[in-house]
Amino acid sequence: MKCVFISLLCGLLGVVAREKDQKGKYSVPKLDVQDPTLVLDSKQTLVLNCRGRWRLVWAFPAGLELDQVQVEESACGRTGQHYCSRLTVARTQAQHTGLFQCRYQRWTQKSSSVYVYLTDSQQPFVDHSDMSPDVLYMTEKRPLVIPCRVTHPNFTTVLVKSYTEVFIPDQRNITWSSKQGFTIHSPTLRHINLFYCQTVINGVTRTSRMYLVHRLVSNIMEVYLNSSGPVETLRGKRLVLNCTATGELNTRVNISWDYPGKYNNRGHTSKRLLKLRAHLQFNNILTIPEVQLSDQGLYTCRVTSGENTKQQNVSVIVYERPFIKLKPKKGCVVKVDAGQKSYKITPKLQAFPTPEVIWFKDGMVAADQCSRYRVSGSSLIIRDVAEEDAGKYTIRVTIPEYGLSRNLTVTLVVNVCPQIGEKEVSLQDPGTVPRGSRKTLHCTSHGVPPPNIKWLWHPCPSKGRSAAPRA
């Protein structure tokens, strides 16, 4: 029993020890060099050894080709449970200068690295002068790096602009690093030009590769679509949406679409760039050859340039078939007062595609009867409403290409204020009428609706007094 307990205890201690070993000594791979930098003469052989708990991989400078590197892997450690890897570069060259990194294959963030200088007095710069010029993009308020790295940490350099102006590191706005090159921390328009780096080795002036600094512009002036409102279409028709962005000269933009059928490859895009006098115009056209009901929804055009983003949205409505829906808005009888400046008869109309609309008054085309009648969309506008405008108005809505037609008739009643025809006559003296005789008085009135007439009698007043009228 005691032996079993001791065995279990030893097993637990072994597990703890292994876990500690994983989290401790080889939590990251170990290189056989202690210093973060290594200086060798070029044409020497570079050998780096790395050891870790899991399988290892190497990363090395871009100037070093894969076929120039030899990697040997083996099991190592007292029990052969560790992984060892040896990297060998025979006959190194100045352009191989850079960061060599050993890391775990599955956990690439766990790594160890060393920066190797491969010194060559004939080629002090990693990117030498025989290389073709490189383009560097400058963004205002972001540091600009002129990457003229050197092959020895003690080489001193200066930055030359356009063969004439020399910049010396001031450790404030312009700093120097043998592993990076020159860094201009607050670049301005002054730094848009041709640059190279220069050093003097054994009395001989050496220069780096040329670097052309180009200013990146990311000012998106405007973004708009070819439709400002919802887009309506029929199933099976072709849908074309054009997204246009304008930007300053030198601006580069990326235009992308989000829409219901994007991930089913329902549409395709085409691009076009126009250089206008003062700006650039970018067009991105989205086309869906035959839209389906599933293509209905929100379409978003998104334009990005640097950190700037602008977008425009449009809703697409897809109908199964053409249609006309027509009904009165305020009933089939509407009323208006004579003398009103204008009146609009507007039915509720829904139709697609856009229909043809004609208004009739009492069976004749309204616009032909009076210049005061005007059609706007589906509405009939009557200016300076008069009594003769009363009548039956009929709207005829047609979509000829699909043979669809609908009619709706509305009766317009024009209210007219009552007027008395004998008003001026009634103010005249009717003359003397004998007592007991019959006298007929006339009152002619007109109005819509017909007015009610009420007579009032004013008895003769007594001398010195006035009498109140009696009904």
Side-chain angles (χ1 to χ4, degrees), residues 453-469:
I453 298 175
K454 183 178 181 180
W455 287 90
L456 298 178
W457 171 47
H458 293 261
C460 294
S462 302
K463 261 187 177 179
R465 294 191 318 173
S466 61

Side-chain angles (χ1 to χ4, degrees), residues 394-434:
T394 300
I395 180 175
R396 178 180 297 169
V397 182
T398 59
I399 305 179
E401 58 185 305
Y402 294 101
L404 296 180
S405 179
R406 296 287 185 276
N407 289 348
L408 175 68
T409 298
V410 175
T411 299
L412 180 66
V413 176
V414 179
N415 294 327
V416 180
C417 291
Q419 295 180 354
I420 299 175
E422 290 83 0
K423 185 175 181 181
E424 294 183 0
V425 177
S426 64
L427 294 177
Q428 299 177 2
D429 186 358
T432 301
V433 179

Side-chain angles (χ1 to χ4, degrees), residues 243-247 251-253 255 272-273 280-284:
C243 181
T244 302
T246 56
T251 301
R252 292 296 180 267
V253 304
I255 302 179
R272 185 174 59 184
L273 172 63
L280 294 176
Q281 179 177 298
F282 304 86
N283 293 280
N284 191 300

Side-chain angles (χ1 to χ4, degrees), residues 139-140 215-223 245-253 278-282 303-310:
T139 302
E140 290 186 38
R215 177 180 175 235
L216 276 178
V217 180
S218 57
N219 182 19
I220 306 170
M221 298 166 62
E222 187 179 10
V223 176
T246 56
E248 293 181 7
L249 298 175
N250 291 336
T251 301
R252 292 296 180 267
V253 304
H279 62 272
L280 294 176
Q281 179 177 298
F282 304 86
V303 181
T304 59
S305 180
E307 295 181 349
N308 295 331
T309 300
K310 288 187 179 182

Side-chain angles (χ1 to χ4, degrees), residues 41-99:
D41 288 332
S42 64
K43 299 181 182 178
Q44 283 187 304
T45 298
L46 171 66
V47 179
L48 295 174
N49 292 290
C50 185
R51 181 173 178 174
R53 179 164 292 279
W54 297 283
R55 188 172 296 279
L56 303 165
V57 292
W58 291 89
F60 39 80
L64 184 58
E65 300 293 337
L66 188 61
D67 58 2
Q68 297 175 309
V69 180
Q70 181 182 355
V71 176
E72 301 172 70
E73 297 180 347
S74 62
C76 56
R78 285 182 299 176
T79 60
Q81 293 181 348
H82 288 172
Y83 292 84
C84 285
S85 182
R86 172 177 292 179
L87 178 143
T88 303
V89 181
R91 294 188 60 81
T92 56
Q93 302 173 33
Q95 61 263 31
H96 299 163
T97 296
L99 190 69

Side-chain angles (χ1 to χ4, degrees), residues 227-238:
S227 177
S228 58
V231 175
E232 298 175 304
T233 186
L234 289 174
R235 184 173 66 87
K237 292 291 186 179
R238 182 186 184 89

Side-chain angles (χ1 to χ4, degrees), residues 97-108:
T97 296
L99 190 69
F100 289 77
Q101 188 179 65
C102 175
R103 59 195 183 196
Y104 286 127
Q105 187 177 41
R106 292 184 60 187
W107 298 280
T108 55

Side-chain angles (χ1 to χ4, degrees), residues 92-365:
T92 56
Q93 302 173 33
Q95 61 263 31
H96 299 163
T97 296
L99 190 69
F100 289 77
Q101 188 179 65
C102 175
R103 59 195 183 196
Y104 286 127
Q105 187 177 41
R106 292 184 60 187
W107 298 280
T108 55
Q109 73 276 13
K110 296 181 179 294
S111 63
S112 294
S113 59
V114 59
Y115 193 94
V116 181
Y117 292 93
L118 296 164
T119 305
D120 185 346
S121 60
Q122 303 297 314
Q123 186 183 324
F125 293 102
V126 178
D127 293 345
H128 54 85
S129 58
D130 292 339
M131 299 176 68
S132 59
D134 190 15
V135 178
L136 305 177
Y137 294 99
M138 185 195 85
T139 302
E140 290 186 38
K141 300 181 181 179
R142 284 191 176 183
L144 170 66
V145 176
I146 311 293
C148 48
R149 298 180 297 128
V150 291
T151 60
H152 194 283
N154 295 333
F155 288 161
T156 58
T157 64
V158 294
L159 181 63
V160 182
K161 171 187 172 183
S162 190
Y163 302 97
T164 56
E165 189 175 0
V166 176
F167 294 86
I168 298 175
D170 58 10
Q171 305 309 319
R172 294 190 303 274
N173 186 43
I174 300 179
T175 57
W176 161 257
S177 167
S178 61
K179 297 179 181 180
Q180 277 191 311
F182 281 96
T183 300
I184 303 174
H185 295 277
S186 299
T188 63
L189 296 178
R190 178 190 178 192
H191 300 109
I192 300 174
N193 216 307
L194 193 65
F195 287 86
Y196 63 90
C197 298
Q198 181 176 288
T199 187
V200 177
I201 306 295
N202 299 326
V204 179
T205 300
R206 305 286 182 179
T207 60
S208 73
R209 178 186 200 174
M210 293 285 186
Y211 301 96
L212 176 62
V213 178
H214 177 75
R215 177 180 175 235
L216 276 178
V217 180
S218 57
N219 182 19
I220 306 170
M221 298 166 62
E222 187 179 10
V223 176
Y224 52 92
L225 295 170
N226 58 330
S227 177
S228 58
V231 175
E232 298 175 304
T233 186
L234 289 174
R235 184 173 66 87
K237 292 291 186 179
R238 182 186 184 89
L239 174 66
V240 178
L241 295 177
N242 185 3
C243 181
T244 302
T246 56
E248 293 181 7
L249 298 175
N250 291 336
T251 301
R252 292 296 180 267
V253 304
N254 179 57
I255 302 179
S256 61
W257 289 91
D258 288 326
Y259 56 98
K262 178 177 181 178
Y263 298 104
N264 295 327
N265 297 319
R266 292 284 302 142
H268 62 268
T269 59
S270 58
K271 301 177 182 179
R272 185 174 59 184
L273 172 63
L274 297 176
K275 185 176 180 180
L276 304 179
R277 185 173 183 179
H279 62 272
L280 294 176
Q281 179 177 298
F282 304 86
N283 293 280
N284 191 300
I285 302 170
L286 172 66
T287 302
I288 300 179
E290 295 183 1
V291 294
Q292 302 299 320
L293 296 179
S294 59
D295 294 315
Q296 180 169 284
L298 187 67
Y299 285 64
T300 301
C301 166
R302 186 172 291 106
V303 181
T304 59
S305 180
E307 295 181 349
N308 295 331
T309 300
K310 288 187 179 182
Q311 67 180 45
Q312 289 290 343
N313 303 323
V314 65
S315 295
V316 173
I317 302 170
V318 182
Y319 297 114
E320 176 73 27
R321 58 183 63 88
F323 66 92
I324 298 174
K325 295 180 181 179
L326 183 63
K327 61 181 180 179
K329 190 174 184 178
K330 299 179 180 179
C332 291
V333 177
V334 292
K335 297 180 180 181
V336 63
D337 294 332
Q340 187 170 317
K341 189 173 181 180
S342 69
Y343 185 75
K344 182 188 292 185
I345 305 175
T346 304
K348 291 182 177 180
L349 173 63
Q350 287 181 293
F352 190 82
T354 303
E356 296 178 3
V357 174
I358 301 177
W359 277 94
F360 298 88
K361 180 179 185 295
D362 299 329
M364 299 178 63
V365 177

